[in-house]
Amino acid sequence: MTQVTERGTPLSAAPRAGVRRRSPAAAACVVGGAVAAGLGLGFLAVLVIVLWISSPYPDSGPGGALHLAAGLWLLAHGAELVRYDTLSGIPAPVGMTPLLLVALPVLLMRRAARLGSAAEEDDEEVLPAAAVFSAVLCGYLAVGALATVYAAGGPMPADPISAAWHIPLVAVLAAAGGVWGARGRPLGPLPSWLPGGVRKSFVRPRYALALRAGAGGSLVLLGGGALVVGASLAWHGAEVQASFLSLTGVWSGRFAVLLLALTLIPNAMVWGAAYALGPGFALGSGVTATPLGFPGAPALPRFPLLAALPAEGPGTPLTWAAAGVPVVAGLAVGWFAVRRAREVSYGETALTAALGAVVCGLTMAGLAAASAGPLGSRRLSEFGPMWWTTGVAAFVWTAVLAVPVAVAVHAWRTRPAIGPEGLDADEAGAVDDRWHDSGVREIRWAALRKAAGALVPEMAAPAPVPPAVPVVPEVPEAAPAVPGRRAVTVVSGLDLDPGLLAPKPAEPVSAPLAPPVVGARVLARRKPPPE
């Protein structure tokens, strides 16, 4: 016989009802992923259409502009585009991704995952993290596949193989970050299929400190790269302005060049960091710009950021000064690695600093790989920093400086406390009682008054307190009892100086205060018994 619940629903149908309740939430997540991809495409389409309308010499109709917007959207995910209308007739790849453009799909995808993980109503059932991740990813990849097919008919189609793994990679990382943030950024538990030793090692505080130290070193390198690029742009200001004005004479074209330069600023920061680290960056086949020298690259296209390259020839003290950027980064990694100096040993601190250097090297290697790419064929097939040389240089610089700095800071923070007269903490405890000896207060007061100057008026030192002598009060004879009244006993020996009850004068009192009376007691008088 089939059992039913309190509401009359069969128990066998209860799980199916739960599945039916979850299906609208899963569909909403799929739609959310598709909307995130559509918003990115729409933003770039509006921007390209506006530039196409304002251009006095449009090369194609609105269809070509929309195809170009789809290609730019794919380029924002790291996919490689192919340009067929070249002078040589050979297809030229365009694989340099503007890193600022990558922020658009990442933010939209992350927002879609966060919205899918939250419930709009209190009684609404929230989908599991894996279900939200899969549903949002399916909707986003479906739109990505359609955009890849649509961009194939434009002037700059995407390479299918490159788009097949770049779009899922960006979508997976962004969706995972959104779901993780919506769940409160949990650090565990790790999957059960991992070995027990691995799961225990990942929860140690050293890895969190290493991640923080590596991130700090990477931010210092990127900030130093931005400083190097900004100084070079200011130094070559005339060349940069001439290059910007010579590209086009209409405001729409200059606005497009300005937007492209702004989206390439993060790339320039990574290139500046690679230049300061030593390996530099490639500007074509066989041409590399380093602080030690720049042979020159005559085949470079005209662009404002490229006009700020160093002058041809060997390096100068001005270019060698860029080595200060990795020095500061190494010091930052060593400083951030010493957050638990009083809880760990010197070896643990050194290991944390070394792991922070590894994190910094891996981060810079990934950024260098993302910021580089080809801008054409033959001489322009290599453009940007080499990822592995940049990562190795970042690791070596930070490890060489971070480990000794971390050990030195650890020793400084764990040094023994120094007591009076150069004694350590144990020896200072034996002489701590001398702080309250007779006469020490007067010495401290004189030193304080001397240091304060006119702020503290000069006063006479207090008179020494005489030894306490117990005073035995005299108990007078009992007075005759009055019916209805309590007897009050007056105790002698409590005579006070009348001057103490007077208001204090404005000027400091030079006379010593009267010593306190010690040992006086007030005795309660009992009512005599009735006769």
Side-chain angles (χ1 to χ4, degrees):
M1 186 174 181
T2 306
Q3 298 180 359
V4 296
T5 60
E6 296 180 358
R7 297 182 179 181
T9 304
L11 292 178
S12 59
R16 297 180 181 177
V19 172
R20 282 197 289 269
R21 284 197 302 269
R22 287 185 179 181
S23 58
C29 291
V30 174
V31 174
V35 169
L39 288 176
L41 277 169
F43 175 80
L44 292 178
V46 170
L47 182 62
V48 172
I49 288 294
V50 169
L51 293 177
W52 173 78
I53 293 174
S54 59
S55 176
Y57 307 105
D59 296 334
S60 59
L66 293 177
H67 283 87
L68 180 60
L72 290 178
W73 185 79
L74 297 175
L75 182 65
H77 293 77
E80 188 176 281
L81 305 183
V82 181
R83 184 164 55 91
Y84 290 98
D85 53 343
T86 58
L87 297 177
S88 61
I90 301 176
V94 179
M96 179 178 294
T97 303
L99 294 183
L100 190 60
L101 204 61
V102 180
L104 178 64
V106 169
L107 293 178
L108 291 174
M109 186 61 171
R110 187 174 182 273
R111 180 178 179 273
R114 288 179 63 89
L115 293 178
S117 301
E120 297 181 359
E121 300 178 0
D122 296 337
D123 58 346
E124 185 177 354
E125 186 175 1
V126 181
L127 291 177
V132 174
F133 173 79
S134 303
V136 174
L137 192 62
C138 288
Y140 195 89
L141 293 182
V143 178
L146 295 177
T148 304
V149 175
Y150 181 77
M156 295 180 63
D159 184 17
I161 298 179
S162 178
W165 70 273
H166 276 98
I167 297 177
L169 176 64
V170 174
V172 165
L173 294 178
V179 173
W180 181 66
R183 300 295 177 177
R185 298 179 178 86
L187 299 178
L190 295 175
S192 58
W193 50 267
L194 289 175
V198 175
R199 284 184 291 174
K200 291 180 180 179
S201 63
F202 269 100
V203 298
R204 292 181 179 177
R206 85 158 67 109
Y207 295 103
L209 290 177
L211 289 174
R212 185 183 296 112
S218 302
L219 290 177
V220 171
L221 286 175
L222 293 177
L227 182 61
V228 170
V229 173
S232 183
L233 287 172
W235 187 266
H236 301 85
E239 293 85 349
V240 172
Q241 182 180 5
S243 176
F244 178 75
L245 297 177
S246 62
L247 286 176
T248 179
V250 297
W251 70 269
S252 59
R254 292 178 179 177
F255 182 69
V257 173
L258 180 62
L259 286 179
L260 181 58
L262 291 177
T263 56
L264 288 173
I265 285 179
N267 300 63
M269 293 169 59
V270 179
W271 291 22
Y275 181 84
L277 287 170
F281 49 89
L283 293 171
S285 180
V287 179
T288 305
T290 64
L292 300 179
F294 177 50
L300 292 177
R302 305 195 66 177
F303 194 71
L305 293 179
L306 296 178
L309 292 173
E312 299 182 12
T316 61
L318 188 62
T319 60
W320 301 339
V325 174
V327 171
V328 178
L331 297 179
V333 172
W335 177 265
F336 283 110
V338 194
R339 296 294 298 273
R340 300 183 302 118
R342 299 187 180 275
E343 303 176 9
V344 297
S345 61
Y346 286 97
E348 181 73 14
T349 300
L351 179 59
T352 303
L355 291 176
V358 172
V359 173
C360 183
L362 293 177
T363 303
M364 293 307 301
L367 291 176
S371 64
L375 285 181
S377 57
R378 297 179 183 177
R379 294 185 62 89
L380 296 181
S381 58
E382 297 179 6
F383 221 76
M386 186 68 67
W387 66 271
W388 68 270
T389 56
T390 304
V392 170
F395 167 73
V396 172
W397 273 102
T398 53
V400 169
L401 294 171
V403 173
V405 168
V407 173
V409 174
H410 182 104
W412 173 258
R413 292 185 179 180
T414 57
R415 70 189 185 279
I418 303 299
E421 300 181 4
L423 302 178
D424 57 11
D426 297 333
E427 297 175 351
V431 298
D432 185 63
D433 293 337
R434 293 188 301 176
W435 180 259
H436 303 285
D437 287 349
S438 177
V440 177
R441 288 178 293 178
E442 288 78 5
I443 297 176
R444 296 201 306 268
W445 172 255
L448 178 61
R449 181 168 48 81
K450 182 178 179 181
L455 297 177
V456 180
E458 186 174 356
M459 299 177 61
V465 180
V469 178
V471 178
V472 179
E474 298 179 0
V475 181
E477 296 180 358
V482 179
R485 295 184 181 180
R486 295 187 61 182
V488 179
T489 301
V490 180
V491 182
S492 62
L494 295 177
D495 298 334
L496 300 177
D497 189 356
L500 296 178
L501 301 178
K504 296 182 179 180
E507 299 295 332
V509 181
S510 59
L513 299 176
V517 179
V518 181
R521 295 183 302 168
V522 178
L523 300 178
R525 180 71 178 274
R526 295 184 179 181
K527 182 183 296 186
E531 296 181 356

